[in-house]
């Protein structure tokens, strides 16, 4: 039926129907029954939603206007002025923008509808100007309100005078209430003293529990008795304060009857008097319960500050209903149209509700404190949640207050039932959401809790879990809040579930969010798994005495982590940008071009990194090794992915980029070889000399100080050369890495002493003398000097390595 109604209303306006219709035929008009049906649809939230969906379907099916094509053709493409990185036409981002535009249009329409509620206020201004421009109307208006004003002023003066006269009786009532309160407090103190001595020191726990229950019952009884005893004083206080109000009414009615010249003046006076008396009476009722100036006759448990705030605001709030009553009564009396009166009343009631909202804001802390659960329930998580929820009571109270006015102002059918139903459903959804969050948070806590056994098998897992736990909790909280808001919107009549489960945009948003969450989760899992695997490998090397491999892997670890993190960040960023609708192809192209330009401009830097990486992977050196690289020999102090830092024997530090390293001579790997090479006289027996060299090495291997440093016996390699300068003897033996200099210095020291003792002869170098061209002395070539005595052999002059290498 709704479709037929819409068809009858909309189809005559379509171009096709308009063209086919006869020119003389009048347009179809809405009947009263159809208007009533449309009004019923608009007042029902579900039918209104169905009506909106039907209108949307009809609007999507209507053909586009013909004149729009040339205008669209004349408009330049929007992408011509934009960069290459833009939202794709069929993406989540563009759909969200379209949806936001639709929401903005809807909000604008609602704002205009809201402003239309007060459009008739302009008519009130027109009426006021009309009344003042007409002499007769102006005279009647001023005469009626002038007489009523004088009578009301006299009544207020009489009321004020009687109130001053009744101050002493009110003080007497307060004094009697104070005396009764004092006697009751004495009795309560006596009962408390008796209760404190009722339980002996050695009483059992059950007896103490029973006695505590009795004390609580006694305190409740005393409180109840205190309230009951205050009631007579409160009633006397109320009646005493009502006497001036009664006098005000009497003076107002008498003045309206005796001094009213016409019916208008009498009616205005009676209306104002009744409105004031009603407002004053409502104020005194609340003031009697709170009594800010007399706490001893207060009928509720409230502080003096709360009592003052409530009574002060209540005095202002009760004034608005009185003004509304006056307007509704006097509007028709002075020829004000009903729509003008309704506009004024609507504005005044809105001001009243806004003042109530401000009042709710002012007393939010006091009410929240009174709504907190008892202290014995504070340890329960559920009651703790209710206590926290009670602190936000003012938010739904404000919404409820303004919703009441909106339903009343718009005359929405079934609006109040919808408010109550929505309020109950909101409370249920919030409570269920909180209970579900407690269960999910508990499961998450158990998931991220690492016990000692797991921590011992996987060291560091607890620290990583503690690091990611806050982020996981925030993500879970965001998901719970999102789900709660969707269900709340559904409970409020907004089809949020169908939007996210069946709508095209909603499903794409959910898919994008899930894709981003999965991408981040997988990235974190891959990152942590790779780091854990590398760390476990390092620990395995360290525990299996493969310290060198552990050091090498630890050195390469930063570059591996950097590369892995870069790859993960790029993949996650590209996934996220593509899911929100950005075209990532231009970004990737630009990044590739920029990367190629940077790599081309920094070839040396790239070469440093690549060479350093392979140097570290191939274990060419380690920290502490003695190496020769780039023409510099020294101890390796630091290795990075780009540079090598060496400290020489002079104490200088050389920082060498890996691109300058063509070869590395590492003296600290596996073993060293001490090469023994020197010249002896041709008359020496090679076997005897070889035995001397071997004996010295054997003697050093017998020494506890040098035995661990020498890995092999002396190996005589033979005579390498023999000529007029002597015979060249060569031999060698192995030492541990980095100890050849220490061993060789000690070896040559001992060898020199042994050769002197054994009388080993060394060759005497020949000389060449060139005589001058003048003189009788002939040229002497190859004449040797006389040989020294046999017992004056000198010590050998062996090869001397760098004495500083220990």
């Amino acid at each position: 039926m709704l479709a037929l109604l819409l068809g009858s209303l909309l189809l005559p306006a379509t171009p096709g129907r308009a063209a086919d219709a006869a020119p003389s035929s009048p347009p179809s008009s809405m009947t009263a029954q159809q208007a009533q049906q449309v009004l019923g649809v608009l007042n029902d939230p579900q039918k209104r939603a169905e009506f909106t969906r039907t209108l949307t379907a009809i609007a999507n099916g209507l053909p586009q206007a013909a004149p729009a094509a040339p205008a669209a053709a004349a408009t330049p493409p929007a992408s011509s002025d934009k960069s290459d990185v833009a939202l794709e036409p069929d993406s989540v981002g563009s759909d969200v923008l379209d949806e936001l535009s639709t929401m903005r249009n809807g909000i604008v329409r609602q704002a205009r509808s809201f402003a239309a509620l007060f459009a008739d206020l302009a008519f009130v201004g027109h009426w006021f100007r009309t009344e003042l421009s007409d002499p007769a109307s102006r005279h009647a208006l001023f005469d009626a309100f002038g007489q009523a004003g004088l009578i009301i002023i006299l009544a207020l003066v009489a009321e004020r005078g009687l109130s001053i006269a009744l101050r002493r009786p009110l003080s007497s009532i307060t004094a009697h209430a104070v005396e009764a309160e004092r006697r009751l407090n004495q009795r309560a103190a006596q009962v408390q003293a008796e209760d404190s001595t009722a339980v002996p020191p050695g009483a059992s726990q059950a007896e103490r529990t029973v006695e505590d229950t009795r004390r609580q019952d006694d305190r409740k009884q005393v409180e109840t008795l205190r309230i009951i005893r205050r009631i007579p004083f409160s009633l006397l206080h109320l009646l005493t304060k009502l006497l001036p109000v009664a006098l005000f009414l009497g003076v107002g009615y008498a003045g309206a009857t005796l001094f009213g010249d016409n019916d208008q003046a009498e009616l205005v006076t009676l209306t104002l008097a009744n409105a004031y008396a009603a407002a004053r009476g409502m104020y005194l009722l609340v003031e009697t319960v709170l009594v800010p100036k007399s706490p001893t006759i207060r009928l509720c448990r409230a502080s003096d500050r709360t009592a003052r705030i409530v009574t002060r605001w209540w005095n202002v709030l009760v004034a608005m209903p009185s003004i509304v009553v006056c307007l509704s009564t006097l509007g028709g009396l002075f020829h004000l149209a009903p729509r003008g009166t309704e506009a004024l009343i609507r504005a005044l009631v809105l001001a009243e509700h806004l003042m109530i909202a401000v009042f709710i804001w002012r007393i939010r802390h006091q009410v929240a404190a009174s709504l907190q659960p008892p202290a014995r329930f504070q340890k329960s998580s559920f009651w703790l949640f209710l206590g926290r929820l009670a602190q936000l009571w003012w938010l739904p109270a404000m919404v409820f207050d303004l919703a009441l006015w909106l339903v009343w102002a718009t005359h929405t059918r079934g609006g109040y039932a919808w408010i109550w139903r929505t309020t109950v459903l909101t409370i249920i959804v919030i409570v269920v959401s909180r209970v579900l969050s407690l269960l999910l948070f508990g499961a998450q806590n158990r998931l991220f809790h690492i016990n000692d056994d797991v921590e011992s098998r996987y060291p560091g897992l607890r620290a990583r879990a503690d690091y990611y736990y806050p982020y996981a909790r925030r993500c879970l909280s965001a998901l719970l809040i999102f789900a709660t808001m969707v269900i709340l919107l559904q409970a409020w009549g907004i089809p949020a579930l169908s939007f996210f489960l069946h709508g095209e945009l909603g499903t794409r948003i959910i898919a994008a969010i899930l894709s981003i969450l999965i991408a981040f989760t997988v990235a974190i899992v891959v990152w942590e798994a790779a780091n854990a695997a590398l760390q476990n490998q390092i620990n395995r090397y360290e525990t299996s005495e493969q310290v060198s491999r552990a050091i090498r892997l630890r050195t390469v670890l930063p570059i591996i982590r950097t590369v892995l993190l870069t790859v993960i960040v790029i993949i996650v960023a590209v996934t996220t940008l593509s899911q929100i609708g950005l075209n990532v192809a231009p970004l990737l192209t630009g990044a590739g071009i920029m990367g190629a330009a940077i790599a081309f401009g920094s070839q040396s830097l790239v070469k440093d990194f690549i060479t350093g990486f392979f140097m570290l992977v191939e274990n060419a050196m380690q920290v502490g090794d003695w190496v020769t690289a780039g023409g510099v020999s020294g101890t390796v102090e630091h290795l990075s992915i780009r540079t090598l830092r060496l400290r020489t024997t002079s104490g200088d530090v050389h920082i060498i980029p890996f691109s300058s390293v063509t070869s590395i001579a590492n003296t600290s790997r596996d073993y060293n070889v001490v090469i023994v090479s020197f010249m002896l006289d041709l008359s020496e027996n090679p076997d005897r000399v070889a035995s001397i060299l071997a004996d010295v090495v054997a003697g050093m291997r017998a020494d506890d100080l040098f035995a661990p440093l020498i890995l092999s016996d002396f190996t005589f390699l033979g005579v390498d050369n023999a000529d007029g300068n002597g015979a060249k003897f060569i031999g060698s033996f192995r030492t541990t890495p980095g100890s050849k200099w220490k061993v060789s210095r000690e070896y040559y020291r001992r060898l020199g002493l042994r050769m002197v003792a054994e009388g080993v002869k060394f060759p005497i170098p020949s000389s060449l003398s060139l005589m001058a061209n003048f003189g009788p002395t002939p040229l002497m070539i190859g004449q040797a000097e006389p040989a020294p005595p046999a017992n004056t052999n000198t010590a050998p002059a062996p090869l001397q390595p760098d004495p500083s290498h220990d």
Side-chain angles (χ1 to χ4, degrees):
M1 183 175 181
L2 180 60
L4 294 176
L5 177 60
L6 292 175
S8 64
L9 295 178
L10 297 176
L11 286 180
T14 60
R17 292 289 297 270
D20 297 339
S24 60
S25 61
S28 61
S29 60
M30 181 183 296
T31 63
Q33 184 179 3
Q34 291 175 343
Q36 187 64 29
Q37 291 176 357
V38 172
L39 184 61
V41 169
L42 294 177
N43 289 334
D44 192 344
Q46 296 180 354
K47 293 182 178 180
R48 184 167 64 250
E50 182 182 358
F51 180 72
T52 304
R53 290 194 295 270
T54 306
L55 285 179
T56 304
I58 294 176
N60 294 332
L62 291 177
Q64 296 182 356
T75 303
S79 61
S80 61
D81 297 334
K82 296 182 179 180
S83 61
D84 294 335
V85 181
L87 291 176
E88 297 179 356
D90 190 16
S91 64
V92 177
S94 61
D95 292 342
V96 170
L97 291 179
D98 295 339
E99 190 70 20
L100 291 176
S101 178
T102 304
M103 291 176 60
R104 180 182 62 82
N105 296 332
I107 292 173
V108 170
R109 289 195 300 268
Q110 294 295 333
R112 291 176 180 175
S113 301
F114 181 79
L117 296 175
F118 306 97
D120 291 335
L121 289 176
F123 179 78
V124 176
H126 175 70
W127 166 83
F128 189 71
R129 289 192 299 270
T130 303
E131 290 291 324
L132 292 181
S133 61
D134 186 9
S137 300
R138 183 173 64 250
H139 180 269
L141 185 65
F142 286 167
D143 182 62
F145 277 94
Q147 292 183 17
L150 290 176
I151 295 173
I152 294 299
I153 290 174
L154 291 176
L156 289 174
V157 171
E159 180 194 13
R160 181 61 179 172
L162 185 56
S163 298
I164 295 173
L166 292 176
R167 286 181 178 177
R168 181 170 294 179
L170 289 175
S171 300
S172 177
I173 294 173
T174 304
H176 285 83
V178 170
E179 180 62 25
E181 190 79 10
R182 185 184 62 82
R183 291 195 298 268
L184 184 61
N185 290 335
Q186 289 180 354
R187 178 183 174 184
Q190 183 178 1
V191 171
Q192 185 177 2
E194 293 175 355
D195 292 340
S196 61
T197 59
V199 181
S204 62
Q205 184 64 30
E207 294 177 353
R208 293 181 181 275
T209 303
V210 172
E211 190 60 31
D212 291 338
T213 305
R214 291 177 179 176
R215 291 178 183 177
Q216 293 178 2
D217 295 339
D218 292 340
R219 283 194 294 268
K220 292 179 181 179
Q221 183 179 3
V222 170
E223 293 296 329
T224 305
L225 184 60
R226 178 179 285 109
I227 297 298
I228 293 174
R229 288 197 175 186
R230 287 181 179 181
I231 291 177
F233 300 105
S234 299
L235 291 177
L236 287 176
H237 185 272
L238 175 61
L239 294 176
T240 304
K241 287 213 167 186
L242 284 176
L243 290 178
V245 179
L247 178 61
F248 172 85
L249 274 179
V251 173
Y253 271 81
T257 304
L258 298 177
F259 302 104
D261 294 342
N262 50 45
D263 294 339
Q264 287 184 340
E266 182 179 358
L267 184 58
V268 170
T269 303
L270 293 179
T271 302
L272 294 177
N274 290 331
Y276 175 80
R280 188 65 179 168
M282 288 187 294
Y283 167 76
L284 290 178
L285 287 176
V286 176
E287 198 254 357
T288 301
V289 177
L290 296 174
V291 195
K293 296 182 180 180
S294 301
T296 53
I297 57 177
R298 188 176 300 159
L299 297 179
C300 66
R301 299 180 61 183
S303 62
D304 295 342
R305 182 174 179 271
T306 303
R308 287 194 300 269
I309 292 175
V310 173
T311 53
R312 188 184 302 117
W313 276 90
W314 182 249
N315 193 20
V316 178
L317 292 175
V318 295
M320 285 298 176
S322 302
I323 299 175
V324 171
V325 171
C326 293
L327 287 176
S328 60
T329 304
L330 301 178
L333 182 63
F334 293 96
H335 311 290
L336 178 60
R339 63 175 185 173
T341 303
E342 290 178 359
L344 282 175
I345 293 175
R346 194 179 294 119
L348 290 173
V349 174
L350 176 60
E352 175 79 3
H353 282 272
L354 291 177
M355 293 176 62
I356 292 174
V358 176
F359 171 70
I360 291 172
W361 173 261
R362 289 294 304 273
I363 63 171
R364 65 188 187 282
H365 296 301
Q366 290 82 357
V367 176
S370 63
L371 293 177
Q372 294 300 314
R376 61 180 181 274
F377 295 147
Q378 292 292 336
K379 296 181 180 180
S380 174
S381 58
F382 178 76
W383 286 103
L384 186 62
F385 161 70
L386 291 182
R388 293 179 179 176
L389 189 64
Q391 295 179 356
L392 300 176
W393 72 272
W394 55 271
L395 188 60
M398 285 186 179
V399 175
F400 185 76
D401 171 55
L402 297 178
L404 289 176
W405 175 86
L406 187 62
V407 170
W408 170 81
T410 56
H411 302 285
T412 303
R413 182 178 299 178
Y416 293 110
W418 178 83
I419 290 175
W420 287 108
R421 183 176 65 253
T422 304
T423 303
V424 173
L425 290 177
T426 301
I427 296 174
I428 293 175
V429 168
I430 291 175
V431 173
V432 172
S433 174
R434 180 56 182 174
V435 174
L436 182 62
S437 66
L438 291 176
L439 296 177
L440 292 178
F441 284 144
Q444 188 183 50
N445 291 334
R446 290 190 295 271
L447 179 63
F448 279 82
H449 177 70
I450 307 299
N451 54 32
D452 296 335
D453 295 337
V454 178
E455 177 66 17
S456 61
R457 284 184 292 175
Y458 305 99
L461 183 59
R462 180 179 298 169
R464 304 307 300 168
D466 294 340
Y467 175 79
Y468 287 107
Y469 177 75
Y471 300 100
R473 187 178 180 86
R474 292 172 188 171
C475 291
L476 181 59
S477 300
L479 291 176
L480 288 174
I481 292 173
F482 176 75
T484 303
M485 291 304 301
V486 170
I487 298 176
L488 283 178
L489 291 175
Q490 186 70 30
W492 296 343
I494 302 174
L497 288 177
S498 60
F499 172 76
F500 286 105
L501 296 180
H502 306 290
E504 181 179 357
L505 176 60
T507 53
R508 295 186 66 177
I509 291 175
I510 294 296
I513 293 175
L514 291 178
S515 299
I516 293 173
L517 289 178
I518 292 173
F520 274 92
T521 304
V522 171
I524 292 173
V525 170
V526 170
W527 170 256
E528 291 299 330
N531 281 277
L534 292 172
Q535 189 62 42
N536 290 336
Q537 190 67 26
I538 292 174
N539 296 335
R540 190 178 299 111
Y541 285 154
E542 291 178 347
T543 55
S544 61
E545 297 182 356
Q546 298 179 355
V547 181
S548 60
R549 303 186 67 179
I551 295 175
R552 184 169 69 253
L553 183 57
R554 194 181 296 277
T555 306
V556 185
L557 187 59
I559 188 60
I560 297 177
R561 287 180 174 176
T562 303
V563 173
L564 179 61
L565 182 61
T566 303
V567 173
I568 289 175
V569 168
I570 291 175
I571 294 175
V572 172
V574 170
T575 303
T576 303
L577 293 177
S578 62
Q579 286 297 327
I580 65 177
L582 288 178
N583 187 8
V584 297
L587 288 175
L588 295 178
T589 304
I593 295 173
M594 185 177 296
I598 293 175
F600 182 78
S602 57
Q603 297 182 25
S604 179
L605 183 62
V606 175
K607 185 178 179 182
D608 289 341
F609 278 100
I610 296 176
T611 307
F613 178 78
F614 284 103
M615 287 285 186
L616 295 175
V617 169
E618 293 173 359
N619 195 21
M621 69 191 79
Q622 295 178 3
V623 175
D625 289 353
W626 178 273
V627 299
T628 300
V632 180
S633 298
T635 304
V636 178
E637 286 193 345
H638 178 71
L639 284 173
S640 68
I641 196 61
R642 193 183 68 85
T643 60
L644 164 67
R645 189 168 69 194
L646 298 179
R647 184 176 296 274
T648 62
T649 56
S650 62
D652 298 333
V653 175
H654 295 260
I655 299 176
I656 306 171
F658 278 114
S659 60
S660 301
V661 178
T662 57
S663 64
I664 296 176
N666 196 334
T667 313
S668 302
R669 289 297 174 86
D670 299 333
Y671 61 89
N672 295 151
V673 177
V674 177
I675 303 297
V676 181
S677 176
F678 52 85
M679 302 294 294
L680 291 177
D681 192 83
L682 292 175
S683 62
E684 286 292 342
N685 185 3
D687 295 333
R688 186 173 78 92
V689 175
S691 64
I692 292 173
L693 298 176
D695 290 343
V696 174
V697 173
M700 293 183 66
R701 297 195 70 181
D703 191 347
D704 295 337
L705 180 61
F706 293 96
L709 305 179
I710 302 175
L711 301 179
S712 67
D713 294 332
F714 180 81
T715 301
F716 179 62
L717 301 179
V719 179
D720 185 60
N721 190 16
D723 53 17
N725 293 324
K728 185 178 182 180
F729 285 76
I730 297 178
S732 66
F733 61 92
R734 292 184 179 183
T735 64
T736 56
S739 60
K740 68 176 182 178
W741 295 286
K742 181 178 181 180
V743 173
S744 64
R745 286 194 293 268
E746 179 65 19
Y747 174 74
Y748 283 121
R749 186 186 70 82
R750 297 189 182 191
L751 182 61
L753 297 176
R754 177 70 178 273
M755 284 186 173
V756 171
E758 294 291 338
V760 177
K761 294 183 293 184
F762 288 88
I764 299 174
S766 60
S767 62
L768 176 61
S769 299
L770 297 177
M771 305 301 295
N773 294 329
F774 303 98
T777 307
L779 179 62
M780 305 295 293
I781 300 177
Q783 182 177 356
E785 297 180 359
N791 58 354
T792 58
N793 288 334
T794 58
L799 299 175
Q800 295 295 330
D802 191 347
S804 61
H805 299 318
D806 294 327

